Amino acid sequence: LVSVDYEVHGKVQGVFFRKYTQGEAKKLGLVGWVQNTSHGTVQGQIQGPTARVRELQEWLRKIGSPQSRISRAEFSNEKKIEALDHKEFQIVK
């Protein structure tokens, strides 16, 4: 299992980015969270099996929600974990 933090830049607010991210994470069986930031980005944390986390990272980097325009996605604080810190993938207000 791995845990990784992310921040996505571009046109990612007001385009259902969080809702789509949550849907994609649930489809992949991942847990974590996503929220808007005050400076126009979307950030959060992903946890789960490495291969699945990589799939969501790729999705965050290249796909996103239909109306979004991603300029870049940054990933940080990646670490191996023994257990998941979250029960599900939540949208944080």
Side-chain angles (χ1 to χ4, degrees), residues 73-85:
E74 296 171 347
F75 301 98
S76 59
N77 301 326
E78 181 165 324
K79 56 185 185 283
K80 283 190 166 20
I81 54 172
E82 294 300 314
L84 301 171
D85 294 329

Side-chain angles (χ1 to χ4, degrees), residues 19-41:
K19 186 174 187 285
Y20 275 88
T21 302
Q22 182 186 45
E24 197 63 23
K26 285 186 166 170
K27 203 165 77 186
L28 292 167
L30 299 171
V31 299
W33 54 273
V34 59
Q35 72 179 16
N36 285 337
T37 68
S38 58
H39 50 274
T41 63

Side-chain angles (χ1 to χ4, degrees), residues 52-71:
R52 292 294 175 86
V53 169
R54 293 287 175 263
E55 282 184 63
L56 189 60
Q57 285 179 293
E58 198 62 9
W59 186 90
L60 287 166
R61 195 180 282 122
K62 301 206 170 115
I63 302 168
S65 67
Q67 301 295 309
S68 67
R69 296 283 172 273
I70 299 164
S71 58

